[in-house]
């Protein structure tokens, strides 16, 4: 795209990832004064592009949305998106962009402050909430989809006729970091498993990274060694290692965010899909048509088809229709409100999980 501006991050070692913004200050001035500016940027979260998960899916939605709405834009990447959060956002604000979509949940406090200083730009925070009349927050009810994943795992771990299942009722879950945003998945998963069978043991661990497949593989293999036959990966790019470990051990992984079932067909039981592509497309479209939900929080759960499990393309026979029907029945109960799934964001931590 023309008028591309390359922003070198900051003069510190290892932080020298390039921040790319296209259609910046020069283009912003050419926008029609009768409608929103056509320039934008997408701040990539921890794990980076190429994670085959959260970031990649959101970026696909972003590219589709800006093309469909006659906008320009590029991703912003940094090797230290958490530590340099405020600097990254201020660099974006200085470009006089019309819209900035931020995928990094840890920016929740600083985005509110930056957005107030750059009031002519509309800001979106995905996976957390931030304040401001020019800020829209997007939340997913990941606990709802994770509940279904945990319920399915608890059912499957008793299917000893399946060669991938051992006699022990043990499953696992690996988070990228210990945080409320990740623990929302984990607690929902544990609740779903224990509602199906209180005697199922759920192993938990944190990789402390969203971009370390080797660590994910090591943690998953450790869980398999402890008797787990199904491990849920809530860790972005680190989850690729969990899937690899499941393939090597001929056990099951559960993917996250994107449909990862095809990465290791038959060894990914299902994926808990979080449709960040749909959410980003929706927000960009609303911005472009002048209905940007500034000052509001937009929620995507099972009822909005924003989260859910995949269609078991490679594992339907191993799971069986009876269990698939049971999972579907649980989904309907969550949607109609007769089944409540714990949300650590609103409710804190339940007695059965401390978050540590």
């Amino acid at each position: 795209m023309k008028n591309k501006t390359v922003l070198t991050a900051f003069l510190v070692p290892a932080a020298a990832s390039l921040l790319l913004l296209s259609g910046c200050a020069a283009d912003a001035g050419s926008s029609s004064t009768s409608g929103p500016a056509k320039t934008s940027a997408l701040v990539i979260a921890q794990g980076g592009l190429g994670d085959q998960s959260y970031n990649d899916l959101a970026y696909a939605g972003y590219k589709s949305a800006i093309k469909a709405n006659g906008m320009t834009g590029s991703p912003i990447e940094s090797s230290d998106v958490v530590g340099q959060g405020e600097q990254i956002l201020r660099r974006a604000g200085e470009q006089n962009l019309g819209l900035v979509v931020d995928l990094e949940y840890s920016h929740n406090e600083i985005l509110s402050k930056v957005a107030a200083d750059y009031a002519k730009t509309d800001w979106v925070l995905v996976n957390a909430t931030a304040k401001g009349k020019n800020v829209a927050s997007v939340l997913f009810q990941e606990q709802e989809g994770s509940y279904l994943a945990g319920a399915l795992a608890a059912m499957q771990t008793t299917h000893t006729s399946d060669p991938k299942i051992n006699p022990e009722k043990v499953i696992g879950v690996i988070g990228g970091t210990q945080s409320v945003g990740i623990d929302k998945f984990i607690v929902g998963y544990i609740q779903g498993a224990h509602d199906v069978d209180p005697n199922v043991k759920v192993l938990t661990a944190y990789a402390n990274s969203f971009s370390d497949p080797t660590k994910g593989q090591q943690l998953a293999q450790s869980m398999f060694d402890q008797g787990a036959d199904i491990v849920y990966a809530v860790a972005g790019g680190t989850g690729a290692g969990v899937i690899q470990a499941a393939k090597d051990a001929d056990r099951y992984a559960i993917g996250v965010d994107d449909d990862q079932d095809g990465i290791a067909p038959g060894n990914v039981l299902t994926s808990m899909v979080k449709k960040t592509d749909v959410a980003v497309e929706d927000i960009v479209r609303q911005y472009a048509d002048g209905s940007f939900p500034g000052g509001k929080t937009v929620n995507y759960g099972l009822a909005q088809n924003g989260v859910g499990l995949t269609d078991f393309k490679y594992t339907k026979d191993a799971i069986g229709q009876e269990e698939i029907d049971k999972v579907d029945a649980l989904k309907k109960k969550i949607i109609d409100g007769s089944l409540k799934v714990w949300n650590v964001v609103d409710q804190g931590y339940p007695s059965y999980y401390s978050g540590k």
Side-chain angles (χ1 to χ4, degrees):
M1 300 177 186
K2 66 179 181 178
N3 292 330
K4 176 181 284 187
T5 301
V6 179
L7 304 180
T8 54
F10 315 101
L11 298 179
V12 290
S17 295
L18 294 181
L19 307 185
L20 301 179
L21 295 180
S22 66
C24 295
D27 283 335
S30 64
S31 300
S32 170
T33 57
S34 62
K38 296 294 187 179
T39 55
S40 67
L42 180 73
V43 179
I44 303 301
Q46 297 174 65
L49 292 175
D51 62 358
Q52 296 182 296
S53 187
Y54 173 70
N55 285 309
D56 283 358
L57 192 60
Y59 185 39
Y62 174 74
K63 288 189 293 183
S64 175
I66 62 173
K67 181 179 180 180
N69 291 284
M71 298 174 63
T72 59
S74 286
I76 299 176
E77 287 196 88
S78 170
S79 58
D80 187 11
V81 69
V82 176
Q84 296 180 347
E86 184 167 351
Q87 296 148 299
I88 292 168
L89 294 179
R90 288 194 180 279
R91 287 288 183 102
E94 290 167 1
Q95 303 305 311
N96 297 319
L97 300 172
L99 177 70
V100 176
V101 181
D102 189 350
L103 301 177
E104 177 52 51
Y105 74 92
S106 69
H107 292 171
N108 59 322
E109 292 185 5
I110 59 175
L111 189 143
S112 298
K113 181 169 61 174
V114 172
D117 292 340
Y118 298 95
K120 292 184 179 180
T121 297
D122 283 330
W123 303 79
V124 181
L125 183 61
V126 182
N127 262 354
T129 59
K131 298 178 181 179
K133 293 182 180 179
N134 59 331
V135 178
S137 303
V138 175
L139 292 181
F140 292 87
Q141 303 306 310
E142 298 101 337
Q143 75 279 2
E144 295 179 352
S146 295
Y147 180 100
L148 299 182
L152 175 62
M155 295 174 197
Q156 194 68 20
T157 194
T158 66
H159 288 185
T160 53
S161 60
D162 183 341
K164 296 181 177 65
I165 299 297
N166 60 49
E168 301 172 76
K169 294 195 291 186
V170 182
I171 61 177
V173 55
I174 296 170
T177 58
Q178 197 283 305
S179 62
V180 171
I182 294 301
D183 290 343
K184 185 161 64 166
F185 291 80
I186 293 175
V187 169
Y189 181 74
I190 295 171
Q191 182 187 348
H194 285 169
D195 280 359
V196 167
D197 187 345
N199 295 318
V200 168
K201 182 177 181 180
V202 185
L203 305 176
T204 61
Y206 296 96
N208 296 317
S209 174
F210 291 92
S211 57
D212 190 347
T214 299
K215 184 67 175 291
Q217 186 170 359
Q218 292 169 346
L219 290 173
Q221 185 57 58
S222 175
M223 288 184 175
F224 293 139
D225 291 344
Q226 294 175 68
D229 36 40
I230 303 165
V231 176
Y232 182 25
V234 190
T238 297
V242 176
I243 294 174
Q244 184 62 49
K247 182 177 180 181
D248 292 345
D250 200 25
R251 296 289 186 256
Y252 287 116
I254 295 178
V256 76
D257 293 341
D258 202 353
D259 182 346
Q260 299 182 318
D261 296 11
I263 295 177
N267 290 107
V268 180
L269 187 66
T270 186
S271 296
M272 202 297 284
V273 177
K274 182 169 73 174
K275 299 182 180 179
T276 49
D277 56 340
V278 172
V280 170
E281 285 188 67
D282 283 351
I283 290 292
V284 173
R285 174 185 52 77
Q286 290 174 57
Y287 168 80
D289 67 20
S291 60
F292 181 74
K296 298 179 181 179
T297 297
V298 184
N299 286 286
Y300 290 84
L302 287 174
Q304 296 78 26
N305 197 30
V307 298
L309 303 185
T310 50
D311 60 2
F312 319 113
K313 179 178 180 181
Y314 304 102
T315 56
K316 187 174 295 185
D317 290 341
I319 296 170
Q321 191 60 47
E322 183 178 353
E323 272 65 24
I324 292 173
D325 290 343
K326 288 179 182 178
V327 171
D328 190 54
L330 291 171
K331 176 181 177 180
K332 290 176 181 177
K333 287 183 177 182
I334 294 172
I335 291 173
D336 69 25
S338 61
L339 194 166
K340 303 295 185 182
V341 182
W342 193 281
N343 185 347
V344 298
V345 174
D346 299 330
Q347 299 175 269
Y349 285 88
S351 59
Y352 54 84
Y353 191 68
S354 66
K356 298 179 180 178

